[in-house]
Amino acid sequence: MPDTYTSLANSPIGKLITGQLGLPRPTILERYSPGDATISGQVLLGAAPGGRLAPAAATVLAGLSANVSTALRGDLRKAAADAGLDAAVFNGEVPGDARFKALVFDATGITDSTQLRELHAFFHPVVRRTQSCSRVVVLGTAPEDTGSPREAAAQRALEGFTRSLGKEIGQGGTVQLVYVAPGAEAFLGSTLRFLLSARSAYVSGQVVRINQGAATPPVVDVHRPLEGKVALVTGASRGIGAAIASVLARDGAHVVGLDIPPLAEDLEAVTSALGGSFLTADITTDDAPQSIALHLQEAHGGVDIVVHNAGITQDRTLARMKPERWERVLDINLSSEERINDELLSSGVLNTGARIVCVSSIAGIAGNNGQTNYGTSKAGVAGMVVAMAPVLAKQQVTINAVAPGFIETQMTAAVPIAIREAGRRMNSMSQGGLPVDVAEAIAWFAAPDSGGLNGNVVRVCGQSLLGA
Amino acid sequence: MTTELRKVAVLGGNRIPFARSNSAYAAASNQDMLTAALDGLVSRFALEGERLGEVVAGAVLKHSRDFNLTRETVMSTRLDAATPAYDIQQACGTGLQAALLVANKIALGQIDCGVAGGVDTTSDAPLAVGDDLRKLLIKLNNARSTGDRLKVLAGVRPGMIVPAIPRNEEPRTGLSMGEHQARTGARWGVTRAEQDELTARSHHNLAAAYERGFQADLVTPFLGLERDQNLRPDSSVEKLAKLKPVFGGPQGTMTAGNSTPLSDGAAAVLLASEEWAQERGLPVLAHLVTGETAAVDYVGGDEGLLMAPAYAVPRMLDRLGLTLQDFDIYEIHEAFASQVLSTLKAWEDAVFCQERLGRSAPLGAIDRSRLNVNGSSLAAGHPFAATGGRIVAAAAKELYERGGGRALISICAAGGQGVVAILESNGSN
Amino acid sequence: MTTRIKELDGAPSVLAGYGRAFASALPLVSSLPLPVSLPGGGSGELPDLELRVPSLKTDLTHLADYAKVCGFTLRDTLPATYLNVRAFPVHIALMTDGDFPFGPVGLVHLRNAIRHVRPVSVREELSLRVWVTGLDPHPKGRTLTLHTEAAAADGEVVWSAESTMLKLGGGSGERVERGADPDVPASVTWTVPGDQGRRYATVSGDRNPIHLYGLTAKPFGFPRAIAHGLWTKARAVAALEARLPDAFTVDVEFRKPVLLPTRVSFGSSTDAQGVTAFAVTDARKGSAHLVGSVTPAKKQRTSRRTTTANGGTTA
């Protein structure tokens, strides 16, 4: 649901007033509903000559039954044809009424800074021909995977391009950079599916790294990718946690909600509505990890998805912060997650191919006044994700994190209006995100075909100015 | 019973210069023009009084009185009145389809010689009476007394008198052919510049063909015209670039220059068995080897109205085991420059060839210098049914003059159809 | 006596000529002392006058109208009878010349013979020469013959015609029996509508009242309007056009007027010498309106030889 200002600004009278006063008119972001096509419009697929990802991208698009256009260029047309994609032809020189919902550009062919002009050549004719809530995805090679300093520099340059275009594109459009490691082409599917769809409504200006996963990605039903999976969601009784539970259930998972005993009633309401089950526990207690593991083992024979969402804030300036506040935030937000992870791993409750997704925060990246404890914990989560990724990879388990920005929740509703408005508007979407936006990103990481994603921290912040 | 197939010789053709609509031939009927084309052929090949196997021709725009147009025309010529004739109509494919029909009968030994042709006038186009007026006229016809008649006539409204002028429009889509092609052209990313370039080359090639006398025995002057009225020898990309778009909206790329104008004219081509030609000492310019016709679903499907030749040609090539590059000349009818370019792009496109044609590889590019070497419809004009005869005769002669070779003929037609054919020549051997 | 030659610039006005022609037909008017000279004066002899039109070009719209009214295919060459209508205003000019002994009104057309030397292209510029000979005795009056010659730019006469007209009154000479109707089977029936005379008038310019309406024809002794003889001839030649050689003469004799509207029959037959006899007859009674023949020229032009692609020739 859009915030009040966004609704007002988009009403007939509001449009008049915002137009007259030069006020921003935030686009009402398109969001995914069950049954929606992944992409609701035409996709333009392009590539710098010599790139390696157009065939993979074409294959993904073909699998999504997307309407795709390409330039009439041999390599692109062959890629499309081989993917079984009945792609239309687009020529930017020909005036026309073609409007694109998504632009996908394979930049892996750019091995020298002079070739960055390919970005301009591809995007310049079409950047004004995008529909609202458009999706731009640039595919590259991570600098560390390149063969030369010049290629590394050019590939790093893509980041500046996508972040800048994200601020320019407007109308709810998003722009991402996806680095795909050589050999990891087959793992592009879940990421492209997410980034091109309305599921990534509030994700923009992000850099995603895809590496070769442990096993060949399975083919999933794009409408119920989590079918048959068991998902543990901590802090599931309200806010973002409830949204996560809802989205995972929508995508087919059996959700096991977890929250503290006092919230048992809310928790039950949430999970029973989703056809899931629940578990009450105080995750700070010593025996919590074991009892959780035991429950998952006994009730479900293991767990496929673990979402560490439970978290608290206990804001004070450091000078006025008592040690209890520090301890409690660090313990719930970071240490308990480590303990649960360790227990699940050592007890063998984590199924092969399991996905751990943590909830970090923009506060952990940008820092926030009065949140030294919280910022520390959430940065620690990011650190944990990065550090644990290679360890978990050995067991075919992935760990990633989402870092929400300003999300419209009861928690943010309590923030004083001036600060709240600043938080809402200081991003490329000129509005706050919704809990579902965080949940969708988590569902993306949780998907069975997301094995190429490991150790990523992706912000769900509408490309917030903070910490960018 | 099995019949050995005979080779079908193209002996020559004749047409009248093509005129722009409502101009030089404004007063001429389809029958007048077809008679002129046919009589010119008769006198060129001394066919006076000869009984031919058959004459097959047609017109796209026909008056109801023209129901037996070709037979009536034959009776107006110096051919033996015992020459049978019939009409066909397959939009712009009429002329070439007529040639295929005659050729097939020759190949099967059913006839030894025949003439295929076509004619069209957009100046003397039939005007349909509107439905309301038609009903009223029936009433008037049935009225018994003068009083009744006056009563019926009192029901005439000015709006009824306006005749339903036939439009160059697809009945199923309500779009003109140009609008259809504008969409197809945009879909293939055909630029204004490449269309204008193709157009200018068509004019230059046709002008050069007239200059070197190539048309002398292909064209008979008619009603004051000696050359095609639409021909602009001094056409240039710069001049064409100044024209405003007429299709595809204000941002369109299709202009009156790079689209064929509405035209009037007629053409005929003489086909025969080798023996028939030999008996008369007539040189065989080329053989009509085979033809193919395709249609596309441009209404329910998402294919372009004029893209059928892109399907017909590969089917024909496969039948003969040929590739698109195995031709010395390509005659691709220029309904619109955009149509020709869209077709060529489709053949070069891996997606089209794989997804739509089911081929593992694109047909590939053609040598553009072999395309429409003596100009085509953009320069000559395009009286719908006459175009096939024009192309077959000119392509056969071109091959003959080159000392042999192979020609691909491709003609797109309304209704999402396409007629294509192959000519081969041994030259003068 | 030397021939007086008068050159007409452009097409003479038919209406002006007709004005004078009808004026002369009215006894009162012709006896008035008018400042303009009217036909019917002069010496009673035919004038030794030749009218020339130095430049005659074909207007395609007019040609198409003519072809349509007469049933010709519109071709790149002129229908054999077409120059009849181009010569008509010159004929009127000649007959309304002051020296002409009588006006054209009331003249009866007996015969029209055309010599078609070669096909004439619609693009050719021609010159016309018109003169008159006679007066010869006839049982019912006297006859005169209008001669027309059309020459190409190089002076070659490409078409000529003779029209024999009868001036009724003061007949003399033997009453000649009319030749028998030619034995041609009627193969075609034409329905000739009541307005055929008016339709031909619009393309020929000949608005002689006997061809227009019953009312206008009655004063001249016809119960209804009658078809123009030259139309009937043109219609007959059009029916034969596909079989006409390049060079020929077509000679017709006008028998009974075609009263409009009516149905007439047409038939033709060609003999061993290649002469085609034809007739237009009354569809019911079988009596002839028009009889004629087409005779190929003796030295018939061979078919045009044309170069074919190999540079050789075909017959």
Side-chain angles (χ1 to χ4, degrees), chain B residues 27 32 39 44 46 76 78 222-223, chain C residues 64 74-76 242 246 309 314-315:
Chain B
D32 292 333
D39 252 344
R44 179 162 298 138
S76 296
R78 289 180 177 180
F222 186 59
L223 302 186
Chain C
L74 182 59
R75 293 171 195 264
D76 202 46
D246 283 350
T314 57

Side-chain angles (χ1 to χ4, degrees), chain B residues 122-345:
Chain B
T122 50
S123 307
D124 183 29
L127 299 181
V129 172
D131 262 358
D132 291 344
L133 188 56
R134 189 174 55 82
K135 283 175 192 150
L136 206 127
L137 289 173
I138 292 169
K139 259 196 215 165
L140 188 66
N141 209 31
N142 294 337
R144 284 166 190 275
S145 69
T146 311
D148 287 347
R149 284 196 192 100
L150 285 175
K151 263 185 224 162
V152 174
L153 284 173
V156 177
R157 297 279 172 274
M160 294 180 182
I161 309 292
V162 180
I165 297 164
R167 279 176 285 262
N168 173 17
E169 150 180 305
E170 287 297 319
R172 284 178 186 277
T173 59
L175 288 177
S176 73
M177 200 178 273
E179 286 302 331
H180 268 285
Q181 183 53 43
R183 292 175 176 201
T184 308
R187 202 152 99 189
W188 285 102
V190 178
T191 64
R192 170 76 182 265
E194 52 185 341
Q195 292 176 59
D196 287 349
E197 196 192 320
L198 186 91
T199 305
R201 203 165 52 228
S202 184
H203 282 281
H204 298 160
N205 287 353
L206 181 62
Y210 273 109
E211 284 310 310
R212 72 173 207 268
F214 180 79
Q215 305 281 15
D217 62 352
L218 293 173
V219 176
T220 304
F222 186 59
L223 302 186
L225 274 193
E226 293 184 359
R227 289 187 177 195
D228 303 305
Q229 205 175 4
N230 192 54
L231 174 60
R232 301 276 177 276
D234 61 346
S235 172
S236 69
V237 173
E238 293 72 32
K239 284 181 189 173
L240 289 164
K242 289 180 187 148
L243 299 174
K244 286 206 173 72
V246 292
F247 300 115
Q251 294 294 302
T253 60
M254 291 169 64
T255 66
N258 60 38
S259 310
T260 48
L262 289 177
S263 330
D264 304 341
V269 53
L270 179 62
L271 304 167
S273 67
E274 302 245 88
E275 302 75 45
W276 194 90
Q278 210 164 10
E279 280 165 21
R280 283 158 181 78
L282 295 172
V284 174
L285 301 186
H287 292 104
L288 181 46
V289 178
T290 192
E292 179 90 24
T293 309
V296 296
D297 183 2
Y298 63 99
V299 182
D302 69 340
E303 193 46 270
L305 175 72
L306 302 179
M307 289 300 284
Y311 292 78
V313 165
R315 279 189 341 218
M316 180 169 68
L317 295 178
D318 287 350
R319 207 148 40 70
L320 272 65
L322 293 172
T323 73
L324 186 60
Q325 288 70 36
D326 290 338
F327 293 87
D328 300 282
I329 55 172
Y330 301 84
E331 280 285 352
I332 303 179
H333 158 55
E334 298 161 342
F336 304 93
S338 169
Q339 191 279 334
V340 177
L341 293 164
S342 298
T343 303
L344 294 178
K345 283 171 193 283

